[in-house]
């Protein structure tokens, strides 16, 4: 780390859910000298020590500009990711996998000292059924049926090669659980429920029944907490993967309590068939393959992050999910293209 001047950090995907939280955190960090946020569209968001630049990682023609932005960076945080279109996995492959390769190649060519990459719980192979949380040593082969998990797992192998061939670059892989905050709720509603799904339907009084699906257990984390973990990884001499998750584990009982709804057992096959029909009709953007993956995700142990990053989430998983529900009902958003809502958070 440059003790006299501070770090120059480049953040890809800086206008999304994690990016907006991270740029705000880095603007307050005295060991960070400057932040260059890269996105497909320049936002109207103004932050101290932060500048913006446009680049589309899916375009080969943008490679020279990307290399120029990264050339003199002390650290690169790669967050950029596209969840849609789920009906065109070739398009998401171009953005997510080929775009990531362009970032990694630019980092290697410029001999950037630090790369922090946004991996995911989705990179992990299916977890033990009703088993304990897994550590970072759990296999990262993903779930082969879903584009998201295939892409995350593939990039884990790419980073294995990058670490081997460029040991001078400190590579950190963040593997968080589901991330929520109020300002990102409108974006997440559009991604997973559809642009025209009304947010006010998430009111507890309108959801008297909650489908109880076998195997549904997951963890949630407030996006501001994951941004704090990224900050810590940037300014500490750490390497390798870090699981990030908050307590408690969310299951049907926790969801029914949060939504004040009565759980009703529904066969997973029936729920998947309904989702598949809606997806094929292009009514629902979330694919049935992603549904399969979610039911197989392992729970995460964040012991390494607590120990080596001295990180502790400030919000519980239920508080993080509650922030999302508030944001969906209110149409919350932020001053960036991806996070546009009915009102700016």
């Amino acid at each position: 780390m440059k003790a006299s001047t501070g770090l120059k950090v480049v953040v890809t995907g800086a206008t999304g859910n994690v990016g907006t939280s991270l740029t705000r955190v880095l603007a307050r960090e005295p060991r960070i000298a400057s932040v260059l946020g890269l996105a497909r569209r320049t936002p109207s968001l103004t932050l101290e020590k932060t500048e913006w630049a446009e680049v589309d990682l899916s375009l080969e023609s943008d490679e020279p500009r990307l290399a120029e932005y990264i050339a003199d960076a002390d650290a690169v945080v790669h967050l950029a990711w596209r969840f849609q279109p789920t009906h065109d996995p070739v398009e998401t492959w171009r953005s997510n996998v080929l775009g990531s390769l362009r970032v990694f190649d630019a980092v290697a060519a410029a001999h950037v000292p630090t790369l922090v990459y946004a991996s995911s719980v989705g990179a992990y192979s299916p977890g033990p059924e009703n088993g304990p949380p897994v550590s970072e040593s759990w296999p990262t082969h993903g779930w082969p049926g879903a584009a998201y998990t295939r892409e995350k797992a593939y990039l884990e192998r790419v980073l294995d090669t990058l670490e081997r061939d460029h040991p001078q670059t400190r590579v950190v892989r963040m593997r968080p659980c589901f991330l929520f905050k109020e300002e990102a709720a409108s974006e997440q509603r559009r991604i997973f429920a559809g642009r025209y799904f009304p947010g006010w339907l998430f009111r507890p009084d309108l959801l008297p029944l909650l489908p109880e699906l076998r195997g549904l257990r997951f963890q949630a984390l407030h996006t501001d907490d994951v941004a704090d973990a990224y900050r810590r990884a940037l300014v500490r001499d750490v390497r390798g993967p870090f699981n990030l998750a908050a307590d408690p584990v969310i299951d049907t009982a926790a969801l029914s309590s949060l939504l004040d709804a009565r759980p009703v057992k529904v066969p997973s096959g029936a729920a998947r068939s309904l989702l598949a029909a809606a997806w094929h009709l292009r009514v629902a953007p979330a694919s049935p393959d992603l549904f399969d993956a979610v039911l197989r995700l392992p729970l995460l142990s964040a012991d390494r992050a607590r120990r080596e990053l001295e990180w502790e989430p400030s919000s519980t998983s239920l508080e993080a999910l509650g922030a999302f529900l508030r944001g969906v009902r209110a149409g919350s958003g932020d001053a960036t293209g991806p996070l546009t809502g009915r009102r700016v958070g």
Side-chain angles (χ1 to χ4, degrees), residues 228-310:
D228 180 58
Y230 276 91
R231 177 190 65 82
R232 292 168 184 265
L234 282 169
V235 300
R236 293 173 181 237
D237 187 17
V238 295
R239 292 173 178 257
F242 288 90
N243 291 343
L244 301 171
D247 294 323
V249 173
I250 298 175
D251 55 13
T252 303
L255 278 174
S256 62
S257 178
L258 185 65
L259 294 169
D260 194 21
R262 182 167 61 88
V264 176
K265 288 188 177 181
V266 175
S268 297
R272 188 192 190 282
S273 297
L274 182 61
L275 176 60
W279 182 74
H280 284 295
L281 292 171
R282 299 182 183 267
V283 175
S287 73
D289 299 324
L290 188 59
F291 173 85
D292 294 337
V294 167
L295 293 183
R296 291 167 172 81
L297 293 178
L299 300 178
L300 302 180
S301 167
D303 287 346
R304 186 185 182 216
R306 288 182 167 92
R307 183 175 62 254
E308 297 187 26
L309 297 178
E310 298 183 84

Side-chain angles (χ1 to χ4, degrees), residues 76-79 104 114-121 123-124 136 138-140 152-164 169-176 226 229-230 233 238-244 300 304-305 309:
V76 172
V77 181
H78 180 40
L79 304 174
F104 300 160
T114 300
L115 169 66
V116 183
Y117 164 66
S119 188
S120 164
V121 62
Y124 281 117
E136 290 83 359
W138 193 256
T140 52
K152 287 294 186 184
Y154 183 88
L155 290 173
E156 290 277 349
R157 303 290 75 76
V158 172
L159 286 176
D160 291 343
T161 303
L162 178 67
E163 287 181 314
R164 183 197 66 196
T169 296
R170 182 172 66 90
V171 178
V172 180
R173 314 182 198 195
M174 294 301 199
R175 296 176 184 158
V226 82
Y230 276 91
V238 295
R239 292 173 178 257
F242 288 90
N243 291 343
L244 301 171
L300 302 180
R304 186 185 182 216
L309 297 178

Side-chain angles (χ1 to χ4, degrees), residues 90-161:
V90 173
E91 180 63 27
T92 59
W93 183 270
R94 288 195 189 103
S95 294
N96 299 334
V97 174
L98 300 186
S100 294
L101 293 180
R102 293 184 176 105
V103 173
F104 300 160
D105 287 345
V107 166
H111 304 289
V112 176
T114 300
L115 169 66
V116 183
Y117 164 66
S119 188
S120 164
V121 62
Y124 281 117
S125 301
E129 187 173 355
N130 297 319
V134 303
S135 72
E136 290 83 359
S137 63
W138 193 256
T140 52
H141 303 309
W143 171 252
Y148 175 82
T149 49
R150 283 198 308 270
E151 292 162 0
K152 287 294 186 184
Y154 183 88
L155 290 173
E156 290 277 349
R157 303 290 75 76
V158 172
L159 286 176
D160 291 343
T161 303

